[in-house]
Amino acid sequence: MSDKPIYVTEPYLPSLEEFIPYLEEIWESKRLTNGGPMHGKLEQALCEYLGVPEIALFNSGTVALLTALQALRITGEVITTPYSFVATSHSLLWNGIKPVFVDIDPKTLNIDPKKIEAAITSQTTAILPVHCYGTPCDVESIQKIADNYNLRVIYDAAHAFGVQDSGGSILRHGDLSTLSFHATKVFNTFEGGAIVCPDAKTKQHINNLKNFGILDEVTVVAPGINGKMSEVNAAFGLLQLQHIDHVIERRREIDQTYRQYLKDIPGIRFLEKVGKSLSNYSYFPILIEPEYPISRDQLYFKLKNNHVHTRRYFYPLISEFSMYRDLISAQPANLPVASYISRRILCLPIYPTLEKKDQEHIIEFISNCETT
Ligand code: T4K
């Protein structure tokens, strides 16, 4: 392989020339933030593209999560997955809420609805599932449980931009869904995020919360935060959106190629597609099972030594980090599936500008990996 590093992802950047007119418009208007014209246009364009009723933009997916929990006044205990990026449960801790970890389904790697009820206590107020790698959660089973126990559902949909199930956008499920537009995501605004809301009233409440709780010049109605997306970020989002179909199509091709050439390798397992969902191909996770000649970590380091920077998303489990380990009773024994998967998972490079020859090298390396 060449010495050029290949990362797990690379942001899609349209040409700088295409971005200049957006910047000129911002310079002209001198409107930099606080819900300017680019912000408004991006909210509208995203509602149309994603097929959702209302969307409130944020400066990161994490602040969107924090605010979603505030907007629904979630307290006490929240049932969530240990198999995610730490932001999911950090958002609970930052709101003074206790995360209660429930194991994942071995097929989808999302929270296992069959295990949720056993974790519900009198303190439970909500469920915070993640559509991990963009694979839809079992939304119907989760909603049934939420309805039976009068719980709120907030989906961390950071990976699920553009994902659809047979009825439309996956983002329409639950009380709220949050998105991340971080540089590493399928759709990025450098940094950014959003809350998908069911109606204008909820969005208005969220808009107040993301702008310090300000209603008008003399009225502050809530202890809000600064969660606003700037005009430059929103403008970049508008430009990105023009390229999103190409971005997802390229990702689909790369996904197909991995599947085609790695499918017969003993010990390499893929995640299966769920139902009739429309994927965004945001990650390409593989499981390194015992039949493979070397361990997941050996493969990870070997690839790294050969300039291929895969990632072990999500290892360690969130519940294994000290701030959670000490706080809760989630012993690894209670999370056998998540523990197993976390030690076997490897996310391979997938992004629109991944060169054919680089993907071929990765496939060849994994196909011919020996024990030495
Ligand atoms: N919920 C879930 C389920 C999430 O996955 C995330 C974020 C959130 C909530 C929170 O959303 P945000 O607040 O972030 O909007 C990355 C991202 O920083 C993080 O956004 C993402 N999840 C997580 C899964 O991955 P790292 O620590 O792996 O990022 P980093 O900097 O190591 O980047 C990975 C690779 O991407 C690099 O090796 C090279 C490439 N890269 C990265 C950046 C930042 C670039 O080519 N350009 C870049 O600008 O966390």
Side-chain angles (χ1 to χ4, degrees):
M1 282 187 201
S2 81
D3 286 356
K4 186 192 79 172
I6 304 169
Y7 295 108
V8 68
T9 191
E10 187 179 279
Y12 184 77
L13 291 173
S15 75
L16 198 51
E17 290 73 47
E18 283 181 76
F19 195 37
I20 301 293
Y22 292 84
L23 293 177
E24 284 172 345
E25 213 177 307
I26 294 170
W27 256 244
E28 184 67 29
S29 74
K30 296 193 166 45
R31 191 65 194 258
L32 308 189
T33 187
N34 286 8
M38 296 290 177
H39 186 278
K41 278 189 229 173
L42 183 59
E43 285 191 339
Q44 198 184 336
L46 284 175
C47 281
E48 281 164 25
Y49 177 79
L50 296 170
V52 296
E54 298 284 350
I55 196 160
L57 295 175
F58 276 81
N59 48 20
S60 77
T62 304
V63 177
L65 270 171
L66 288 172
T67 309
L69 291 160
Q70 284 281 327
L72 300 183
R73 298 191 175 86
I74 304 297
T75 56
E77 294 178 5
V78 168
I79 291 173
T80 189
T81 169
Y83 190 78
S84 181
F85 187 58
V86 284
T88 308
S89 39
H90 279 0
S91 71
L92 297 171
L93 286 194
W94 268 55
N95 273 305
I97 298 163
K98 179 178 166 186
V100 174
F101 295 110
V102 161
D103 208 358
I104 57 172
D105 177 301
K107 283 215 173 82
T108 62
L109 311 191
N110 291 327
I111 195 164
D112 188 342
K114 292 192 293 301
K115 297 182 180 155
I116 291 178
E117 279 191 82
I120 295 174
T121 72
S122 58
Q123 303 297 305
T124 310
T125 56
I127 309 171
L128 176 58
V130 176
H131 301 296
C132 192
Y133 309 132
T135 303
C137 289
D138 181 349
V139 288
E140 279 175 21
S141 302
I142 291 171
Q143 195 57 53
K144 250 187 218 155
I145 298 166
D147 291 343
N148 284 345
Y149 291 87
N150 197 22
L151 304 176
R152 299 293 206 137
V153 182
I154 298 174
Y155 281 102
D156 179 343
H159 303 174
F161 184 91
V163 172
Q164 298 193 4
D165 61 17
S166 53
S169 173
I170 197 70
L171 306 169
R172 74 192 190 285
H173 295 288
D175 293 281
L176 296 172
S177 288
T178 65
L179 287 162
S180 165
F181 303 152
H182 182 260
T184 54
K185 297 292 187 279
V186 168
F187 171 83
N188 90 82
T189 57
F190 281 41
E191 289 273 5
I195 301 181
V196 175
C197 327
D199 53 61
K201 190 166 168 241
T202 311
K203 181 184 164 175
Q204 185 53 54
H205 177 45
I206 286 169
N207 277 349
N208 286 342
L209 287 177
K210 80 175 188 192
N211 187 28
F212 313 101
I214 294 174
L215 198 59
D216 60 41
E217 273 184 51
V218 291
T219 321
V220 175
V221 290
I225 198 168
N226 183 354
K228 293 165 281 135
M229 177 181 279
S230 86
E231 286 291 277
V232 172
N233 297 98
F236 190 71
L238 282 168
L239 178 56
Q240 281 277 5
L241 210 48
Q242 291 183 26
H243 294 265
I244 193 68
D245 292 340
H246 161 71
V247 165
I248 294 178
E249 174 54 20
R250 270 298 296 140
R251 287 176 168 276
R252 191 191 64 76
E253 287 167 6
I254 292 163
D255 178 292
Q256 293 299 106
T257 304
Y258 277 136
R259 284 178 194 274
Q260 182 180 348
Y261 291 101
L262 295 178
K263 73 176 188 312
D264 295 326
I265 300 177
I268 301 285
R269 183 154 70 86
F270 311 130
L271 297 190
E272 285 160 35
K273 222 170 156 302
V274 172
K276 284 188 180 152
S277 59
L278 185 68
S279 176
N280 63 6
Y281 310 96
S282 52
Y283 294 84
F284 195 83
I286 57 172
L287 290 162
I288 315 297
E289 302 285 19
E291 308 88 77
Y292 192 71
I294 58 174
S295 72
R296 186 277 308 270
D297 286 345
Q298 283 170 323
L299 178 60
Y300 166 81
F301 286 112
K302 273 193 173 211
L303 283 164
K304 197 172 192 167
N305 290 339
N306 283 278
H307 316 289
V308 178
H309 301 264
T310 62
R311 292 302 281 266
R312 291 164 290 182
Y313 296 132
F314 290 101
Y315 166 81
L317 291 179
I318 298 177
S319 48
E320 290 167 351
F321 292 117
S322 59
M323 73 251 26
Y324 295 98
R325 216 175 41 219
D326 300 345
L327 181 83
I328 51 152
S329 57
Q331 305 302 321
N334 298 335
L335 304 166
V337 180
S339 300
Y340 180 88
I341 299 290
S342 170
R343 280 155 183 76
R344 302 264 172 216
I345 201 80
L346 198 64
C347 288
L348 302 184
I350 185 165
Y351 51 90
T353 47
L354 179 64
E355 287 181 38
K356 197 164 176 276
K357 68 171 177 24
D358 288 338
Q359 191 180 14
E360 282 167 2
H361 280 312
I362 297 166
I363 289 168
E364 209 179 289
F365 193 92
I366 296 173
S367 308
N368 299 320
C369 220
E370 300 297 335
T371 38
T372 51

